Amino acid sequence: MQPNFSTRERILGVAETLFARHGFAGASLRQVTAAAKVNLAAVNYHFGSKESLIEEVFRRRLDELNRHRLAALAAVATNPGRQLEDVLDAFIRPALEQSMDSAGGAAFVRVLARAYAEHDERLRRFLSDNYGYVLREFATAFARLLPHLRKDELYWRLDIVAGALTYAMADFGMIKRKDDVSEQNHREQSAQHLVRFAAAGLRAP
Amino acid sequence: MQPNFSTRERILGVAETLFARHGFAGASLRQVTAAAKVNLAAVNYHFGSKESLIEEVFRRRLDELNRHRLAALAAVATNPGRQLEDVLDAFIRPALEQSMDSAGGAAFVRVLARAYAEHDERLRRFLSDNYGYVLREFATAFARLLPHLRKDELYWRLDIVAGALTYAMADFGMIKRKDDVSEQNHREQSAQHLVRFAAAGLRAP
DNA sequence: GTCTATATTTGGATAGAC
DNA sequence: GTCTATCCAAATATAGAC
């Protein structure tokens, strides 16, 4: 993290990186404050507790990410043909963009993957309370496009697809592109691969 | 965990469950020993350290799992046709069997998923040193079946597939089957879904 | 807002009796 | 092999000066 940011921002950035690398329980506030070159007490001053710091790490990026996802999903609805791929794209592409945009965005995608693996009740409730409606929007869209699937079968597949995508995107954040491929091109190809991968899984009989 | 097992076995079983639920850093030895109804000191007596306990949780199941995987892989080699699906099946099915066999097997599949997400150096080295050759065997088999893919492209996809499968299997461990579907049938169908899902991803152009 | 110092809790590990 | 008691380190959190 750049030292020219405010204390608060430096903590958030470093925490994001360390949570991605060691998990929420595995990264201590001491590691975070040391790496951010701020005082230990600063975390409690700015965030109140480790729990709240974790939530703030999510909030900082999820608000924007989900806004983009919903906008992309809305754009699909009016546009017939290739709809399953388009809905998947609406879910994947914003995460991909974010992971390559801002410094630290790549780390956040890994944090998301961690969250998916965590079964911590408080964390799950926080995410469900604040961002659950986004997933429900997508689930509704998928249900409309895959009417032949029973409800439980659909949810089962969506859960698998969500897990697969989350992890694929997390790993993707670490893939180095070749020098002869533009950033734009690389992102484009990767998104297409993931969409095709997921669509095939959802369409299975 | 059944109370009629030995102290050592009870610790392993409970540790497996709690590591699956809270992660390696998130589950304390005190939680483990309390849930196993054994004394705190028993962990160090039987395993020496938390680190060694974690390794033993893996060793207990991975030895068997990987033996089955390699046996299944060897059986594929002599058998032409549908080979990509067969190799995937050789990887998936043993994990699925294990997850439904023994009590606690389902938890272990989740522990595997955790390990996949962990970037802890010691844990990764332990797994790589002891079980890396299995993954290399599979990678070789895939490389033979997908000769049109560049080496880096292949590794990228295998990593994604491995992540997707690991997570799919972990989630699968929690799916309840319907009463009108036999255990056998349920397992069979799930394995087929996962194989199809992964094969489609690997075959993408 | 930031720092030092410290309170409090929790967790891993051990010593020594039984 | 098991238990109690305890040590020590690490972690979260807070108090209070600047």
Side-chain angles (χ1 to χ4, degrees), chain A residues 66-79:
Chain A
N66 281 326
R67 220 172 343 103
H68 287 161
R69 278 177 167 167
L70 289 178
L73 181 61
V76 171
T78 62
N79 178 5

Side-chain angles (χ1 to χ4, degrees), chain B residues 126-144:
Chain B
F126 167 78
L127 291 174
S128 170
D129 285 354
N130 289 280
Y131 305 104
Y133 69 98
V134 177
L135 293 182
R136 280 190 287 278
E137 290 272 336
F138 274 88
T140 303
F142 283 122
R144 197 166 41 78

Side-chain angles (χ1 to χ4, degrees), chain A residues 110 117 119 156 167 175 197 201 205, chain B residues 110 117 119 156 167 175 197 201:
Chain A
R110 301 193 68 82
H119 282 216
W156 178 61
Y167 259 76
I175 304 276
F197 191 95
Chain B
R110 301 193 68 83
H119 283 216
W156 178 59
Y167 261 75
I175 305 275
F197 191 94

